[in-house]
Amino acid sequence: MKTAIVWFKTDLRLHDNETLIKAIAQSDTLIPVYCFDESHFETNKFGFKKTGSFRTQFLLESLTDLDTNLRNLGSGLLIVIGKPEIEIPKIIQQYKATKVFAKREVSFEEKQTETAVQEALFKLKCELQTLSTSTLYHAEDLPFSIKDIPDVFTNFRKRTEKDAIIRKAFEKPLQLKSPEIPILELPTLENLGLDELTIDNRAAIHFKGGETEAIHRLNHYFFETKCISNYKETRNGLIGADYSSKFSAWLSLGIISPRFIYQELQRYEQQFGANESTYWLVFELLWRDYFRFMMKKYNVKFFQQAGIQSKGISVNKQNSYQLQEWIDGKTGVDFVDANMLELKQTGFMSNRGRQNVASYLCNDLKLDWRFGAAYFEQQLIDYDVCSNWGNWAYLAGVGNDPRGNRYFNIEKQAQDYDKNKAYRNLWLMD
């Protein structure tokens, strides 16, 4: 009997999960595992938690849903807490597994963990097979190698759209063979060193974790409301659930895949027609791919102050008082403050807001952009390592922006996107 472990990470889904499909095909029995990596709950060198309460709560909900869905197929989810390179080998020995299947990583710390697990497995004569499951376009299908990917998004997009194909999403498996998996036991926020939370009732949307909710959201945004057909016009909104798709939280933990979204979008277009808005969602998914491929190309440079351009930038001596005012929404610039209060109290902020508060931190306060990126890492429900650090480097002028310094005139932005002050009043009025 061939027993394999499926090590779930940021791929917490059954639909379009190649890792799971390959594991089923090559094994007799499977042990689905999720490891709460202790390093994800530490405080980093910038003074922020790597994972805050909002995202952890969303993760806990997602794991509960994944366990339910796995049990419906005859399996379940085994939870361990600690260092993956210690905990995964223990499960291998317990179940006499000969192979571990997992999602392939591209960013620096995640790659280090993957390597540490691989080395521990090698000692047990156990193989680690990783698969690329996060992007719309598979890296192998791109019209260039990773090292030759253009550093300007438009050049990447045009070639990719012209010369690459999007693979078909994998079907959800119909059954799994597993030994009896113990009842799900999840840590609490308190166990993980985090504060309990209440989400502000002004939140644009109440994100609930899990694939069931992700598919529900997709059906709502596409088929029930047809909001996708106006996405390009509404995407710069600031208030409410439906000005944008809000898929980012589920995408960030791999609860829904870009290819599944694309496939459903094609189905929508066949029924209701394609337009610039339906294309724009694919365009945004392509940006997400791009940051992931850039992370693969440049790796640790994305986390350095000089960025992928190795460019010196003028930064004020670290001013913790100014940084704290920015975090607390007390800068005195009302559009920045409203956005920062939304982030602090809900774990979410619109794309328009993110660009403005990042520009303000980098260009007006002239603080080290990495403190902003690290605060977002702690605070965002939809934190994605590649998109977060890629976008911050871009705004700071050390990333993939061909124009260099991208300065936002905050007053003009507030006038353009919050003309009647509805958003600012919502968050700044006591």
Side-chain angles (χ1 to χ4, degrees):
M1 291 281 282
K2 278 200 266 185
T3 301
I5 286 167
V6 180
W7 175 21
F8 282 95
K9 293 185 277 179
T10 47
D11 53 350
L12 306 179
R13 63 180 186 268
L14 300 186
H15 288 85
D16 192 35
N17 192 330
E18 188 179 2
T19 309
L20 190 58
I21 298 297
K22 287 271 166 35
I24 291 168
Q26 295 179 36
S27 322
D28 299 309
T29 58
L30 291 184
I31 321 291
V33 174
Y34 183 85
C35 179
F36 279 87
D37 185 338
E38 347 177 284
S39 70
H40 292 177
F41 299 91
E42 290 169 356
T43 299
N44 61 28
K45 67 178 182 180
F46 300 105
F48 300 110
K49 286 270 189 191
K50 287 187 69 63
T51 314
S53 298
F54 290 116
R55 184 152 41 100
T56 304
Q57 181 60 41
F58 187 75
L59 169 64
L60 294 170
E61 291 162 2
S62 303
L63 294 171
T64 301
D65 186 64
L66 179 60
D67 177 67
T68 302
N69 295 340
L70 284 167
R71 286 186 194 275
N72 288 339
L73 300 184
S75 183
L77 187 63
L78 189 62
I79 299 290
V80 291
I81 302 173
K83 289 185 167 64
E85 62 269 30
I86 293 170
E87 298 307 321
I88 303 284
K90 284 183 191 169
I91 299 163
I92 288 164
Q93 289 167 307
Q94 184 183 343
Y95 289 98
K96 300 185 171 48
T98 52
K99 199 163 183 179
V100 174
F101 293 84
K103 171 194 157 174
R104 187 170 305 146
E105 301 293 354
V106 296
S107 48
F108 182 67
E109 288 174 359
E110 288 78 359
K111 284 294 292 178
Q112 284 187 313
T113 301
E114 193 177 276
T115 303
V117 170
Q118 194 161 16
E119 286 168 359
L121 264 52
F122 181 74
K123 292 173 187 163
L124 297 174
K125 297 186 172 56
C126 182
E127 185 189 344
L128 174 66
Q129 182 175 341
T130 62
L131 296 117
S132 183
T133 64
S134 297
T135 48
L136 183 62
Y137 287 91
H138 198 289
E140 288 169 11
D141 300 332
L142 295 176
F144 15 62
S145 65
I146 294 291
K147 69 176 174 48
D148 295 325
I149 288 181
D151 286 342
V152 176
F153 172 71
T154 306
N155 302 343
F156 163 79
R157 177 182 63 79
K158 286 178 175 169
R159 280 276 312 273
T160 301
E161 286 178 337
K162 182 169 158 288
D163 297 331
I165 52 118
I166 295 169
R167 297 183 182 186
K168 195 171 175 298
F170 288 87
E171 293 290 324
K172 173 186 162 185
L174 297 173
Q175 67 173 75
L176 289 174
K177 287 205 177 112
S178 296
E180 195 174 327
I181 306 281
I183 294 289
L184 185 74
E185 274 193 50
L186 290 173
T188 62
L189 291 176
E190 194 183 354
N191 295 152
L192 296 165
L194 296 167
D195 295 329
E196 291 297 325
L197 56 86
T198 48
I199 292 184
D200 196 290
N201 59 16
R202 292 169 289 182
I205 182 173
H206 185 76
F207 288 103
K208 188 163 192 300
E211 188 174 19
T212 308
E213 283 291 327
I215 292 170
H216 177 69
R217 174 64 191 173
L218 182 144
N219 286 328
H220 167 83
Y221 194 72
F222 286 5
F223 300 101
E224 290 167 18
T225 63
K226 303 186 182 58
C227 285
I228 181 60
S229 289
N230 303 308
Y231 172 62
K232 190 157 192 264
E233 291 75 48
T234 63
R235 69 199 162 91
N236 281 310
L238 299 164
I239 299 173
D242 292 341
Y243 64 77
S244 64
S245 75
K246 307 289 193 298
F247 294 159
S248 57
W250 293 284
L251 276 166
S252 66
L253 280 177
I255 294 160
I256 197 167
S257 83
R259 269 174 230 157
F260 180 80
I261 292 172
Y262 179 73
Q263 213 159 276
E264 291 297 291
L265 185 66
Q266 285 183 305
R267 188 161 74 85
Y268 176 88
E269 288 177 333
Q270 281 158 11
Q271 284 182 51
F272 305 107
N275 65 10
E276 214 180 343
S277 283
T278 58
Y279 164 72
W280 207 258
L281 187 73
V282 183
F283 176 87
E284 298 289 3
L285 288 172
L286 199 49
W287 258 114
R288 188 177 167 277
D289 274 14
Y290 185 60
F291 280 132
R292 190 168 175 84
F293 296 138
M294 280 290 114
M295 186 67 79
K296 202 169 178 183
K297 179 177 177 178
Y298 286 109
N299 207 277
V300 75
K301 287 188 110 179
F302 263 112
F303 303 97
Q304 294 167 351
Q305 193 181 58
I308 66 171
Q309 297 186 18
S310 303
K311 185 164 115 186
I313 49 172
S314 70
V315 171
N316 288 340
K317 190 164 183 292
Q318 185 48 34
N319 186 324
S320 55
Y321 183 71
Q322 278 187 317
L323 180 68
Q324 197 59 47
E325 283 185 328
W326 178 79
I327 288 167
D328 292 334
K330 292 182 177 170
T331 67
V333 179
D334 60 1
F335 193 54
V336 170
D337 291 347
N339 276 289
M340 293 306 294
L341 285 169
E342 182 183 13
L343 176 61
K344 188 176 189 181
Q345 291 172 41
T346 71
F348 185 75
M349 187 198 294
S350 68
N351 183 52
R352 181 57 44 190
R354 293 178 201 205
Q355 293 182 66
N356 275 277
V357 302
S359 171
Y360 183 77
L361 181 116
C362 298
N363 298 310
D364 294 86
L365 298 179
K366 291 207 175 325
L367 297 178
D368 183 338
W369 65 273
R370 296 173 302 164
F371 282 85
Y375 178 64
F376 272 31
E377 178 171 349
Q378 168 187 284
Q379 208 63 15
L380 284 171
I381 286 180
D382 64 4
Y383 169 77
D384 170 285
V385 58
C386 306
S387 295
N388 184 65
W389 289 85
N391 269 309
W392 269 95
Y394 188 98
L395 260 300
V398 297
N400 291 98
D401 185 1
R403 286 192 351 200
N405 194 349
R406 194 159 288 249
Y407 178 75
F408 281 69
N409 179 330
I410 311 276
E411 289 307 316
K412 183 178 184 310
Q413 291 273 312
Q415 184 60 23
D416 288 350
Y417 298 105
D418 188 33
K419 203 179 184 75
N420 60 6
K421 292 198 168 186
Y423 176 74
R424 282 168 285 177
N425 288 341
L426 178 68
W427 286 101
L428 298 175
M429 302 289 265
D430 287 331

